[in-house]
Amino acid sequence: MTAPQIDEQIAQYSQTCTKLIDEVGRVLVGQEAMVSRLLIGMLTGGHILLEGVPGLAKTLTVSSLAKAIHTGFSRIQFTPDMLPADVIGTEVFNPKEATYSIKQGPIFSNLILADEINRAPAKVQAALLEAMQERQVTIGTETFRFEDPFLVMATQNPIDQEGTYPLPEAQVDRFMLKVMVDYPTRDEERKVVDRMAGGKPMPEISAIATPEDIMGARGVVEKIWCDDKVRDYVVDVVRATRNPAELGVRGLEGMIETGASPRGSINLMKASKAHAFLQGRNYITPHDVKSLAPDVLRHRVMLSYEAEAEGKTVDDCIRQILDNVPVP
């Protein structure tokens, strides 16, 4: 496919993404970065983890985006007393016929809102592993594949809050992006108060996109061009989380316990393509990589005790890597 043809498809499908952003904006004030990251997940099939204190419209954003797409949507409210069967389903015995039948759980949908995922115990969180990675679940002896698009958008409160459980590293790695949701600005918060406390009903979200639109846009994103030098830059940024000195990053010796795996490189490349697509370009620039690197890497890098003792955060280390790895 030629570049002009790709440009034409980008213009066609990016218009749909713009409409989605505008539709979500009817009920959401600010949080443009969170909405764009959710769209990147939609365009790449990557799962998204949103972290922030309660009351920052995480659930509202995800549910509004799901309503704007005419597809299946399921919300799972995680609680400490949940069982794995509450998520994936179970076998039900019929005493009259002496047979078993499958009762499918709420995971059987297209867009899954896993609300407050870190309030569930580890065995329930582990039940999502096969679903998120393999796009399928096994109940009894039968395996069920999910229909595309299938995307898990999870929210969690910070793990230092009471009544929460840290997510297992194996499950955290299944998320393409971990997005930190911050407080709104003063002007945005004033608009929120005017809109939500004004006595007017919240606007209804209209379905303006279809699964076919999403899958078509994914096909275009896969065709976004990337120069070999930018590919090398993606690999170098991720490798710098494992051995900073090898890539010329000084000051991080002994600070990083575990770096990002090759899955981080794959996801950074995919996310950068989607970011370029949302910007209306048919090629990736190093700016795309820099913009997405913190969200792709922050949950894949584990700091050492020395770094924690010095007050360094994962984002500090990633920022230092991005500032020192040579940009093509």
Side-chain angles (χ1 to χ4, degrees):
M1 183 175 290
T2 63
Q5 290 175 322
I6 295 178
D7 288 338
E8 183 179 347
Q9 289 190 336
I10 288 176
Q12 173 188 348
Y13 286 107
S14 63
Q15 188 176 16
T16 301
C17 293
T18 301
K19 290 180 180 179
L20 284 173
I21 294 174
D22 292 341
E23 190 67 19
V24 173
R26 294 178 60 214
V27 299
L28 187 71
V29 176
Q31 304 293 14
E32 289 84 1
M34 176 167 51
V35 175
S36 70
R37 297 311 188 258
L38 290 175
L39 282 176
I40 287 172
M42 296 290 299
L43 294 170
T44 57
H47 309 297
I48 309 294
L49 178 62
L50 304 175
E51 180 175 308
V53 298
L56 296 182
K58 301 185 296 297
T59 303
L60 175 64
T61 304
V62 175
S63 60
S64 298
L65 181 60
K67 291 176 183 176
I69 302 171
H70 188 66
T71 188
F73 172 64
S74 180
R75 172 177 174 172
I76 307 173
Q77 184 68 50
F78 284 82
T79 57
D81 60 347
M82 285 186 73
L83 297 174
D86 297 327
V87 176
I88 65 173
T90 186
E91 290 183 312
V92 178
F93 180 69
N94 186 338
K96 288 186 178 180
E97 301 178 3
T99 59
Y100 285 92
S101 61
I102 301 295
K103 181 183 179 182
Q104 296 181 348
I107 195 71
F108 285 86
S109 192
N110 298 106
L111 303 183
I112 311 299
L113 169 55
D115 209 6
E116 295 188 304
I117 187 173
N118 62 329
R119 290 202 177 278
K123 61 181 178 181
V124 178
Q125 296 170 2
L128 290 174
L129 284 176
E130 183 184 15
M132 293 174 62
Q133 184 64 26
E134 306 296 336
R135 271 31 180 208
Q136 67 182 31
V137 296
T138 301
I139 303 176
T141 59
E142 199 169 350
T143 298
F144 301 88
R145 292 201 62 83
F146 299 127
E147 296 180 1
D148 284 326
F150 174 76
L151 186 67
V152 175
M153 295 178 282
T155 70
Q156 73 170 11
N157 299 328
I159 60 174
D160 59 345
Q161 293 208 353
E162 187 176 355
T164 60
Y165 301 82
L167 292 179
E169 288 80 1
Q171 182 172 350
V172 170
D173 198 48
R174 260 63 175 183
F175 289 98
M176 168 181 273
L177 305 175
K178 180 180 179 181
V179 183
M180 307 302 293
V181 185
D182 205 353
Y183 291 104
T185 64
R186 184 183 186 279
D187 292 339
E188 289 173 346
E189 190 163 355
R190 173 59 192 271
K191 291 180 181 178
V192 171
V193 172
D194 291 342
R195 181 176 298 185
M196 298 301 181
K200 296 181 181 179
M202 187 179 296
E204 289 289 333
I205 297 291
S206 301
I208 58 175
T210 64
E212 290 74 20
D213 293 330
I214 300 301
M215 299 309 295
R218 283 187 186 180
V220 177
V221 169
E222 292 173 357
K223 298 171 186 173
I224 298 293
W225 184 74
C226 183
D227 187 85
D228 285 342
K229 292 181 180 179
V230 179
R231 292 179 185 271
D232 291 339
Y233 180 61
V234 170
V235 173
D236 287 344
V237 167
V238 176
R239 287 186 62 84
T241 65
R242 304 174 212 154
N243 192 345
E246 179 185 336
L247 278 301
V249 182
R250 304 299 176 187
L252 292 183
E253 293 81 1
M255 297 292 176
I256 297 178
E257 186 73 27
T258 307
S261 69
R263 185 182 282 155
S265 303
I266 296 170
N267 286 332
L268 184 54
M269 175 63 71
K270 288 182 177 180
S272 298
K273 286 187 175 184
H275 189 267
F277 169 84
L278 291 176
Q279 302 299 315
R281 285 184 277 104
N282 63 4
Y283 59 92
I284 299 178
T285 67
H287 175 70
D288 296 315
V289 180
K290 280 193 168 187
S291 298
L292 274 299
D295 295 325
V296 173
L297 299 177
R298 66 165 52 98
H299 55 300
R300 307 177 194 278
V301 176
M302 296 181 61
L303 299 184
S304 65
Y305 290 114
E306 181 180 348
E308 294 177 358
E310 293 188 12
K312 272 189 174 291
T313 66
V314 173
D315 282 10
D316 291 335
C317 295
I318 294 174
R319 195 177 303 113
Q320 191 168 341
I321 288 172
L322 293 175
D323 290 341
N324 288 274
V325 172
V327 179

